[in-house]
Amino acid sequence: MPTLGTPLTPDLITPGSCWQLLKDLNGYARSRGEGLATQAAAGRCFRVITPVNKLGTTRIRVQLLEDGYPCWLNVADLAGQARTTTPPRPRLMSSDAIAARIPAVLAWLKVAAARPNDYLWGGTLGPDLDCSGLVQCAFASAGIWLPRDAYQQERFCEPVAVRPGNDQLLRPGDLIFFGRPQRCTHVAIHLERGRYMHSSGREHGRNGIGIDSLHPSDRHPVASHYRAELRGAGRIMRCHDGTTLP
């Protein structure tokens, strides 16, 4: 077993071993192909799920430990760019502590929106982000880890009642969820009075981060599209403990 801080080499990648990234990396959806699932910033930790195949495996399946998210990492990208570590301790944070950090989350959003950006499926590093990547990055900037995907974030929240034109129960920093009756497919962060910030694709009239409203008076194509797909809202009351899949 290598000592803590040992640089990663392919022969040290064993199932169950834990590593900390020294550079930003892409996390892929499958063992082959270009489909991005997520991105992991330098400093994040992962646990190896599958071993390296000596006969030519180019990717390993891992679990990112801050949010429990599984993905595939390129072995070549990891060489010398990670070091052994111990699993992070569970993060216990009260709902009051989370509420106190919401202004920092919203301040991060303002900066992110001011940078040139495009919508990127799987984008979690910035400036190019997808909808749930924007949400996860915003909260992580304040030390609050959430699950990675929109449907996971919906399950993670405490529900808050909302409907188009009626947002009285929403607070700044609440999450708003959109999609089909069967599944949440999009998420945004509530700002105030029904206005929300999110990252959306060009197929609905924008390509990147923007602000829209739940109120019918907002006739922008993006606002109209998502208002018709409103599922509900939720409040972040806890921090992901970093030990289990969401």
Side-chain angles (χ1 to χ4, degrees), residues 93-146:
M93 190 179 297
S94 70
S95 58
D96 287 342
I98 290 173
R101 299 187 186 195
I102 294 301
V105 171
L106 300 179
W108 184 94
L109 278 177
K110 183 177 180 179
V111 172
R115 300 170 64 189
N117 65 88
D118 294 320
Y119 179 89
L120 175 64
W121 181 272
T124 327
L125 291 175
D128 300 335
L129 299 157
D130 65 14
C131 64
S132 54
L134 175 68
V135 170
Q136 188 184 62
C137 281
F139 279 86
S141 72
I144 305 164
W145 277 99
L146 306 183

Side-chain angles (χ1 to χ4, degrees), residues 224-235:
S224 298
H225 170 82
Y226 284 109
R227 195 160 49 240
E229 292 194 346
L230 178 65
R231 285 174 55 89
R235 186 160 298 144

Side-chain angles (χ1 to χ4, degrees), residues 23-216:
K23 72 170 185 178
D24 300 345
L25 283 185
N26 288 333
Y28 296 92
R30 296 177 177 81
S31 59
R32 290 181 175 82
E34 296 302 314
L36 199 61
T38 191
Q39 295 173 310
R44 290 197 63 178
C45 300
F46 66 90
R47 179 185 290 111
V48 177
I49 298 175
T50 59
V52 172
N53 184 330
K54 302 298 183 182
L55 298 179
T57 295
T58 59
R59 289 179 182 169
I60 56 170
R61 187 164 172 80
V62 307
Q63 180 188 33
L64 300 176
L65 295 182
E66 293 81 6
D67 57 5
Y69 199 72
C71 64
W72 294 83
L73 298 179
N74 284 332
V75 174
D77 292 342
L78 287 168
Q81 298 299 328
R83 61 189 175 195
T84 54
T85 189
T86 55
R89 295 180 179 179
R91 292 175 296 274
L92 302 177
M93 190 179 297
S94 70
S95 58
D96 287 342
I98 290 173
R101 299 187 186 195
I102 294 301
V105 171
L106 300 179
W108 184 94
L109 278 177
K110 183 177 180 179
V111 172
R115 300 170 64 189
N117 65 88
D118 294 320
Y119 179 89
L120 175 64
W121 181 272
T124 327
L125 291 175
D128 300 335
L129 299 157
D130 65 14
C131 64
S132 54
L134 175 68
V135 170
Q136 188 184 62
C137 281
F139 279 86
S141 72
I144 305 164
W145 277 99
L146 306 183
R148 169 64 183 91
D149 290 339
Y151 77 95
Q152 297 167 335
Q153 293 170 358
E154 182 184 49
R155 295 173 182 174
F156 191 75
C157 288
E158 178 178 290
V160 176
V162 64
R163 63 177 186 269
N166 186 347
D167 54 75
Q168 287 92 334
L169 298 180
L170 286 178
R171 299 176 187 170
D174 285 348
L175 304 188
I176 305 175
F177 302 103
F178 308 87
R180 303 180 300 275
Q182 299 84 359
R183 186 181 176 91
C184 174
T185 58
H186 191 73
V187 60
I189 299 181
H190 180 244
L191 302 176
E192 59 181 354
R193 298 189 296 275
R195 296 168 67 248
Y196 58 88
M197 186 176 289
H198 61 143
S199 182
S200 60
R202 60 171 55 90
E203 66 271 23
H204 301 312
R206 188 184 291 119
N207 181 28
I209 301 171
I211 296 175
D212 294 291
S213 175
L214 295 175
H215 290 274

